Amino acid sequence: MIWLKGDVFLNVLLQVVLQVLDGLATLYLVKHCGGKEANPLLVYFIENLGLEAGLIIPKTIVIIVLIWLLIFSKEISNFFIKVILLINLLYVLIVGWNILNILACI
């Protein structure tokens, strides 16, 4: 479990993968299972931009910011590494919950 050791690149890469998985799972749940997005910010985007754009645009912005920070930060602080690690752990739980909901829906 190398991503738990503070490797910044792997943490950012994992976050990108988790963002994509969360978006795809949410899209499936909303379209096919009657699910609803729980994040109020994403709900705002979905209501104003439509389902696909409301998921893709904010998640793309998050991914771009993470990659920008990775590329242009000369020294990434321990605080940033810990925040990314915590966000990754949270998203592992969210994606896991989404997968359980998809399995229950099938």
Side-chain angles (χ1 to χ4, degrees):
M1 296 186 28
I2 193 168
W3 59 276
L4 287 174
K5 294 182 180 177
D7 186 335
V8 178
F9 174 77
L10 289 180
N11 274 298
V12 170
L13 179 63
L14 178 60
Q15 181 53 216
V16 169
V17 170
L18 290 168
Q19 287 287 336
V20 170
L21 289 174
D22 179 49
L24 291 173
T26 301
L27 187 63
Y28 183 88
L29 286 167
V30 171
K31 279 190 164 185
H32 301 290
C33 302
K36 300 202 184 288
E37 174 59 54
N39 181 332
L41 185 59
L42 286 179
V43 169
Y44 172 82
F45 281 105
I46 290 168
E47 289 174 351
N48 289 288
L49 301 173
L51 178 60
E52 289 83 1
L55 288 170
I56 292 169
I57 292 171
K59 290 188 173 294
T60 302
I61 291 169
V62 168
I63 290 168
I64 290 169
V65 168
L66 285 170
I67 292 170
W68 182 82
L69 286 170
L70 182 64
I71 292 171
F72 294 106
S73 293
K74 291 182 180 178
E75 185 177 316
I76 297 176
S77 69
N78 284 336
F79 176 75
F80 175 76
I81 294 168
K82 289 176 184 176
V83 168
I84 293 293
L85 179 59
L86 288 174
I87 291 170
N88 285 346
L89 292 173
L90 175 66
Y91 265 87
V92 166
L93 295 174
I94 291 169
V95 170
W97 177 254
N98 286 343
I99 290 170
L100 289 175
N101 282 303
I102 289 170
L103 292 174
C105 171
I106 295 177

